[in-house]
Amino acid sequence: MAEETVTGRAVGPWATMKDVAALAGVSLKTVSRVVNNEPTVNEDLVARVRLAATQLHYQPNMSASALRRLDGRSSTIAVLLEDLSNPFSATIYRSVEEVAISRGVVVVGGSFDEDPSRELVLTAAMSRHRVDGFIIAPASRDHGYLAREQRAGTPFVFVDRPPVNLEADSVLSDSRDGVTRATRHLLRFGHRRISFLGDLTTIYTSEERVNGFRDAMREANVTVDPRLVHLDLRTAPAAERVVGHLLDSADPPSAIFAGQNLVLMGALRAIRSRHLQHRVAIVGFDDLIMADLLEPAVTVVAQNPERIAREAATMLFRRLDGDTSPVRRVVVESQLVIRGSGEIPAPGDR
Amino acid sequence: MAEETVTGRAVGPWATMKDVAALAGVSLKTVSRVVNNEPTVNEDLVARVRLAATQLHYQPNMSASALRRLDGRSSTIAVLLEDLSNPFSATIYRSVEEVAISRGVVVVGGSFDEDPSRELVLTAAMSRHRVDGFIIAPASRDHGYLAREQRAGTPFVFVDRPPVNLEADSVLSDSRDGVTRATRHLLRFGHRRISFLGDLTTIYTSEERVNGFRDAMREANVTVDPRLVHLDLRTAPAAERVVGHLLDSADPPSAIFAGQNLVLMGALRAIRSRHLQHRVAIVGFDDLIMADLLEPAVTVVAQNPERIAREAATMLFRRLDGDTSPVRRVVVESQLVIRGSGEIPAPGDR
DNA sequence: ATTGTCTGAGACAACGTTGTCCAGAAGGGG
DNA sequence: CCCCTTCTGGACAACGTTGTCTCAGACAAT
């Protein structure tokens, strides 16, 4: 055991292949072969090496391994999302982890918080660690800077947002269509004054969602009152304030579409504090835990983060396994979950 | 740029220190010094090296760096929790990430799902990657097997659950006390038939929570009806079923303490479906997003995952910075958040 | 018995970096 | 002017592993 080496390094009791080889009475290279399950080793030797390895609690050093291997693989992938503490990102992370662990790959996570400079910092850090691949929901709107790394052989799979200035696989939700369908749903209940509340317009999905809303309104020949459209809302309190003003105004909306989780919560608070929850219809984007427990239960457009993640992970690993087929864009359907709050009819309506 | 090396390896366009040195017209070692911000380099050379590095988009190879460094540091820490997709774990992960990124350290995450064998698999994987430290909420109840790694110099900080058979720092919630206080709260509203619903008894915190409940009941001289205590509930549907039976029974509880998130949700569903939400008091452990939007809003014992994570991360990094002071156990207070559901008086009560 | 083929194990170099050591330049004092 | 010290940069080895090559030995065919 290499308690102390020539250089005087106090590495602690990490056994190396050399130690295992010495104990098993074989050459270092034979240990390497056994560790990598190469089939050309005599089974007696395999057994001896295995025994020595367990006795010494040998754990291969992945840094050394990654350094020396021809493919440079580190058995590590990066999953970089908006915010690992929000349920959507967390579910994606977790589902990717599931696929990764089954392949002996560990997952390095990071949160961008919609900050493009953080995206740069984190992707660079991951590059330094030579992760084998990326699953990324970018904050920036230009991903050309990743081309270099991509050419170096690192695959990228974009989730939730498409790559810009980069040819890469992506797995997206049908946000636009999802919102269109939800808006049609509200229109069907007689609503004409529908308020749309959206997240940062810099975010791709956020843009898609407003567009989906406008699509449905145009299709139904309902003009959108610009006073009812509020974008760049990021927090529940901000949304609560805005919705409060809307509801207190002379010509309030009869229905609200909340384009994001926190915005939905703020809107719900504003509605409830005015006891309007059975009068004003509301539909949200992204499912909320406990949405079914509210009174009325909340109708939402639910995305499918598990499926997005599974698709993305399989695509990534396929690429790592050598798939060189053309870039793919997979769209995962979102689903309108009808629970009550979106089925409140407009005042004059039947 | 090493497009192709002697061995014929297609490494892609990763520039190495050698390439940078060649372009800058200095020796390899000088590049290393510049990259590591060693102060003994002439500033002209520094500038030249920096320029060459950016021109080549040089990113140091952390695998090589970790391999060669005396301390073997990989600038990586592992955060291994129950389930990264549940809000408690996700918040901890995210808060640790925040501290880590400020130190240029990346975070590898993993979920145990309360499966001790998965704990073994994941910790071993992290060992192979030679992570610099661990923040861990273990699934197993014996952590002696980590001693070897600890002796190798890797610090461990346990969160949410204390280390067993291992001397290591820990950051815990005052679960037991929190539950005791919540139970007293229910007792104060006249409740005597209080039902306790708990998670897997193998989980440390789960055990603590029942104990906290029994403490308060004993203190108040109220005997606990064993039919009202249900443990090993893991899912919302299971909890819903159990609470359904309780409520439909001849002698139902007047108050319920739900020892965990999903259990709370199941209990709430059972109560609501019987329209008893204004009759049966309920208090949960762990805050729920939107708990304030329910009718009545849900009283909970809220933990403080951000603080737990921040404490744990600072402890870990202090250890990495050489702190050799005795092992510490930090307790982060939980807080009873009064919202309404826990303040429903018992039937016969004032 | 000799040669040729094949299998499996070991010697050796190399991956990209950092620690150690040394040499040459620069600077100061006698 | 020379010697000694200080500072800076470079040569070299080493980290733990894997790829390549070689060689010993087993075995079959002549």
PDB file of all heavy atoms in Angstrom, chain A residues 202-218:
ATOM      1  N   THR A 202     -36.556  36.943 -22.388  1.00  0.00           N
ATOM      2  CA  THR A 202     -35.299  36.416 -22.930  1.00  0.00           C
ATOM      3  C   THR A 202     -35.304  34.898 -22.996  1.00  0.00           C
ATOM      4  O   THR A 202     -34.513  34.293 -23.708  1.00  0.00           O
ATOM      5  CB  THR A 202     -34.099  36.827 -22.056  1.00  0.00           C
ATOM      6  OG1 THR A 202     -34.342  36.419 -20.715  1.00  0.00           O
ATOM      7  CG2 THR A 202     -33.884  38.322 -22.096  1.00  0.00           C
ATOM      8  N   ILE A 203     -36.193  34.272 -22.241  1.00  0.00           N
ATOM      9  CA  ILE A 203     -36.227  32.820 -22.207  1.00  0.00           C
ATOM     10  C   ILE A 203     -37.031  32.291 -23.397  1.00  0.00           C
ATOM     11  O   ILE A 203     -38.153  32.720 -23.633  1.00  0.00           O
ATOM     12  CB  ILE A 203     -36.859  32.310 -20.895  1.00  0.00           C
ATOM     13  CG1 ILE A 203     -36.121  32.904 -19.695  1.00  0.00           C
ATOM     14  CG2 ILE A 203     -36.865  30.809 -20.845  1.00  0.00           C
ATOM     15  CD1 ILE A 203     -36.768  32.572 -18.371  1.00  0.00           C
ATOM     16  N   TYR A 204     -36.453  31.356 -24.092  1.00  0.00           N
ATOM     17  CA  TYR A 204     -37.081  30.804 -25.283  1.00  0.00           C
ATOM     18  C   TYR A 204     -38.492  30.309 -25.023  1.00  0.00           C
ATOM     19  O   TYR A 204     -39.440  30.672 -25.716  1.00  0.00           O
ATOM     20  CB  TYR A 204     -36.216  29.679 -25.840  1.00  0.00           C
ATOM     21  CG  TYR A 204     -36.899  28.815 -26.856  1.00  0.00           C
ATOM     22  CD1 TYR A 204     -37.000  29.219 -28.178  1.00  0.00           C
ATOM     23  CD2 TYR A 204     -37.451  27.590 -26.496  1.00  0.00           C
ATOM     24  CE1 TYR A 204     -37.622  28.426 -29.117  1.00  0.00           C
ATOM     25  CE2 TYR A 204     -38.083  26.788 -27.421  1.00  0.00           C
ATOM     26  CZ  TYR A 204     -38.168  27.202 -28.733  1.00  0.00           C
ATOM     27  OH  TYR A 204     -38.796  26.423 -29.657  1.00  0.00           O
ATOM     28  N   THR A 205     -38.640  29.478 -24.014  1.00  0.00           N
ATOM     29  CA  THR A 205     -39.953  28.888 -23.758  1.00  0.00           C
ATOM     30  C   THR A 205     -40.973  29.952 -23.395  1.00  0.00           C
ATOM     31  O   THR A 205     -42.154  29.840 -23.716  1.00  0.00           O
ATOM     32  CB  THR A 205     -39.907  27.873 -22.598  1.00  0.00           C
ATOM     33  OG1 THR A 205     -39.181  28.458 -21.521  1.00  0.00           O
ATOM     34  CG2 THR A 205     -39.226  26.604 -23.038  1.00  0.00           C
ATOM     35  N   SER A 206     -40.503  30.970 -22.731  1.00  0.00           N
ATOM     36  CA  SER A 206     -41.378  32.054 -22.321  1.00  0.00           C
ATOM     37  C   SER A 206     -41.961  32.736 -23.562  1.00  0.00           C
ATOM     38  O   SER A 206     -43.163  33.012 -23.647  1.00  0.00           O
ATOM     39  CB  SER A 206     -40.543  33.018 -21.502  1.00  0.00           C
ATOM     40  OG  SER A 206     -41.302  34.048 -21.015  1.00  0.00           O
ATOM     41  N   GLU A 207     -41.103  32.974 -24.521  1.00  0.00           N
ATOM     42  CA  GLU A 207     -41.517  33.564 -25.788  1.00  0.00           C
ATOM     43  C   GLU A 207     -42.520  32.647 -26.488  1.00  0.00           C
ATOM     44  O   GLU A 207     -43.568  33.099 -26.971  1.00  0.00           O
ATOM     45  CB  GLU A 207     -40.256  33.691 -26.647  1.00  0.00           C
ATOM     46  CG  GLU A 207     -40.307  34.720 -27.734  1.00  0.00           C
ATOM     47  CD  GLU A 207     -39.033  34.633 -28.566  1.00  0.00           C
ATOM     48  OE1 GLU A 207     -37.927  34.593 -27.966  1.00  0.00           O
ATOM     49  OE2 GLU A 207     -39.144  34.577 -29.790  1.00  0.00           O
ATOM     50  N   GLU A 208     -42.182  31.374 -26.518  1.00  0.00           N
ATOM     51  CA  GLU A 208     -43.065  30.403 -27.159  1.00  0.00           C
ATOM     52  C   GLU A 208     -44.463  30.436 -26.549  1.00  0.00           C
ATOM     53  O   GLU A 208     -45.461  30.311 -27.234  1.00  0.00           O
ATOM     54  CB  GLU A 208     -42.493  28.995 -26.985  1.00  0.00           C
ATOM     55  CG  GLU A 208     -41.308  28.698 -27.862  1.00  0.00           C
ATOM     56  CD  GLU A 208     -41.731  28.466 -29.302  1.00  0.00           C
ATOM     57  OE1 GLU A 208     -42.337  27.422 -29.593  1.00  0.00           O
ATOM     58  OE2 GLU A 208     -41.465  29.371 -30.109  1.00  0.00           O
ATOM     59  N   ARG A 209     -44.473  30.584 -25.231  1.00  0.00           N
ATOM     60  CA  ARG A 209     -45.769  30.521 -24.551  1.00  0.00           C
ATOM     61  C   ARG A 209     -46.637  31.724 -24.899  1.00  0.00           C
ATOM     62  O   ARG A 209     -47.830  31.579 -25.155  1.00  0.00           O
ATOM     63  CB  ARG A 209     -45.566  30.384 -23.038  1.00  0.00           C
ATOM     64  CG  ARG A 209     -44.918  29.040 -22.690  1.00  0.00           C
ATOM     65  CD  ARG A 209     -44.558  28.891 -21.222  1.00  0.00           C
ATOM     66  NE  ARG A 209     -43.569  27.805 -21.057  1.00  0.00           N
ATOM     67  CZ  ARG A 209     -42.975  27.476 -19.918  1.00  0.00           C
ATOM     68  NH1 ARG A 209     -43.259  28.137 -18.811  1.00  0.00           N
ATOM     69  NH2 ARG A 209     -42.116  26.496 -19.874  1.00  0.00           N
ATOM     70  N   VAL A 210     -46.072  32.919 -24.924  1.00  0.00           N
ATOM     71  CA  VAL A 210     -46.878  34.080 -25.339  1.00  0.00           C
ATOM     72  C   VAL A 210     -47.359  33.865 -26.754  1.00  0.00           C
ATOM     73  O   VAL A 210     -48.518  34.176 -27.078  1.00  0.00           O
ATOM     74  CB  VAL A 210     -46.084  35.408 -25.412  1.00  0.00           C
ATOM     75  CG1 VAL A 210     -47.003  36.578 -25.162  1.00  0.00           C
ATOM     76  CG2 VAL A 210     -44.884  35.415 -24.527  1.00  0.00           C
ATOM     77  N   ASN A 211     -46.472  33.396 -27.603  1.00  0.00           N
ATOM     78  CA  ASN A 211     -46.860  33.185 -28.994  1.00  0.00           C
ATOM     79  C   ASN A 211     -48.022  32.209 -29.094  1.00  0.00           C
ATOM     80  O   ASN A 211     -48.952  32.427 -29.879  1.00  0.00           O
ATOM     81  CB  ASN A 211     -45.668  32.686 -29.807  1.00  0.00           C
ATOM     82  CG  ASN A 211     -44.642  33.782 -30.023  1.00  0.00           C
ATOM     83  OD1 ASN A 211     -44.967  34.973 -29.918  1.00  0.00           O
ATOM     84  ND2 ASN A 211     -43.404  33.398 -30.298  1.00  0.00           N
ATOM     85  N   GLY A 212     -47.945  31.161 -28.310  1.00  0.00           N
ATOM     86  CA  GLY A 212     -49.040  30.189 -28.309  1.00  0.00           C
ATOM     87  C   GLY A 212     -50.345  30.849 -27.911  1.00  0.00           C
ATOM     88  O   GLY A 212     -51.407  30.575 -28.487  1.00  0.00           O
ATOM     89  N   PHE A 213     -50.252  31.720 -26.937  1.00  0.00           N
ATOM     90  CA  PHE A 213     -51.437  32.466 -26.490  1.00  0.00           C
ATOM     91  C   PHE A 213     -51.974  33.332 -27.628  1.00  0.00           C
ATOM     92  O   PHE A 213     -53.163  33.268 -27.980  1.00  0.00           O
ATOM     93  CB  PHE A 213     -51.043  33.325 -25.285  1.00  0.00           C
ATOM     94  CG  PHE A 213     -52.097  34.298 -24.850  1.00  0.00           C
ATOM     95  CD1 PHE A 213     -53.273  33.854 -24.247  1.00  0.00           C
ATOM     96  CD2 PHE A 213     -51.910  35.673 -25.024  1.00  0.00           C
ATOM     97  CE1 PHE A 213     -54.242  34.758 -23.826  1.00  0.00           C
ATOM     98  CE2 PHE A 213     -52.875  36.575 -24.611  1.00  0.00           C
ATOM     99  CZ  PHE A 213     -54.042  36.122 -24.010  1.00  0.00           C
ATOM    100  N   ARG A 214     -51.091  34.101 -28.232  1.00  0.00           N
ATOM    101  CA  ARG A 214     -51.531  34.992 -29.322  1.00  0.00           C
ATOM    102  C   ARG A 214     -52.108  34.191 -30.496  1.00  0.00           C
ATOM    103  O   ARG A 214     -53.089  34.606 -31.108  1.00  0.00           O
ATOM    104  CB  ARG A 214     -50.352  35.852 -29.794  1.00  0.00           C
ATOM    105  CG  ARG A 214     -49.852  36.825 -28.726  1.00  0.00           C
ATOM    106  CD  ARG A 214     -48.996  37.921 -29.353  1.00  0.00           C
ATOM    107  NE  ARG A 214     -48.229  38.663 -28.367  1.00  0.00           N
ATOM    108  CZ  ARG A 214     -48.720  39.692 -27.661  1.00  0.00           C
ATOM    109  NH1 ARG A 214     -49.957  40.097 -27.856  1.00  0.00           N
ATOM    110  NH2 ARG A 214     -47.955  40.311 -26.770  1.00  0.00           N
ATOM    111  N   ASP A 215     -51.485  33.061 -30.788  1.00  0.00           N
ATOM    112  CA  ASP A 215     -52.005  32.202 -31.855  1.00  0.00           C
ATOM    113  C   ASP A 215     -53.482  31.893 -31.648  1.00  0.00           C
ATOM    114  O   ASP A 215     -54.303  32.083 -32.544  1.00  0.00           O
ATOM    115  CB  ASP A 215     -51.242  30.864 -31.895  1.00  0.00           C
ATOM    116  CG  ASP A 215     -49.822  31.010 -32.416  1.00  0.00           C
ATOM    117  OD1 ASP A 215     -49.490  32.088 -32.953  1.00  0.00           O
ATOM    118  OD2 ASP A 215     -49.049  30.037 -32.273  1.00  0.00           O
ATOM    119  N   ALA A 216     -53.780  31.424 -30.439  1.00  0.00           N
ATOM    120  CA  ALA A 216     -55.159  31.008 -30.166  1.00  0.00           C
ATOM    121  C   ALA A 216     -56.106  32.198 -30.226  1.00  0.00           C
ATOM    122  O   ALA A 216     -57.235  32.079 -30.733  1.00  0.00           O
ATOM    123  CB  ALA A 216     -55.235  30.348 -28.790  1.00  0.00           C
ATOM    124  N   MET A 217     -55.662  33.341 -29.736  1.00  0.00           N
ATOM    125  CA  MET A 217     -56.517  34.524 -29.726  1.00  0.00           C
ATOM    126  C   MET A 217     -56.790  34.990 -31.161  1.00  0.00           C
ATOM    127  O   MET A 217     -57.921  35.313 -31.514  1.00  0.00           O
ATOM    128  CB  MET A 217     -55.863  35.643 -28.912  1.00  0.00           C
ATOM    129  CG  MET A 217     -55.704  35.323 -27.436  1.00  0.00           C
ATOM    130  SD  MET A 217     -57.262  35.148 -26.516  1.00  0.00           S
ATOM    131  CE  MET A 217     -57.471  36.829 -25.894  1.00  0.00           C
ATOM    132  N   ARG A 218     -55.745  34.991 -31.944  1.00  0.00           N
ATOM    133  CA  ARG A 218     -55.893  35.401 -33.351  1.00  0.00           C
ATOM    134  C   ARG A 218     -56.866  34.463 -34.060  1.00  0.00           C
ATOM    135  O   ARG A 218     -57.813  34.891 -34.722  1.00  0.00           O
ATOM    136  CB  ARG A 218     -54.529  35.383 -34.042  1.00  0.00           C
ATOM    137  CG  ARG A 218     -54.549  36.035 -35.418  1.00  0.00           C
ATOM    138  CD  ARG A 218     -53.149  36.149 -36.025  1.00  0.00           C
ATOM    139  NE  ARG A 218     -52.140  36.558 -35.061  1.00  0.00           N
ATOM    140  CZ  ARG A 218     -51.151  35.783 -34.643  1.00  0.00           C
ATOM    141  NH1 ARG A 218     -51.029  34.541 -35.109  1.00  0.00           N
ATOM    142  NH2 ARG A 218     -50.265  36.218 -33.763  1.00  0.00           N
TER     143      ARG A 218
END
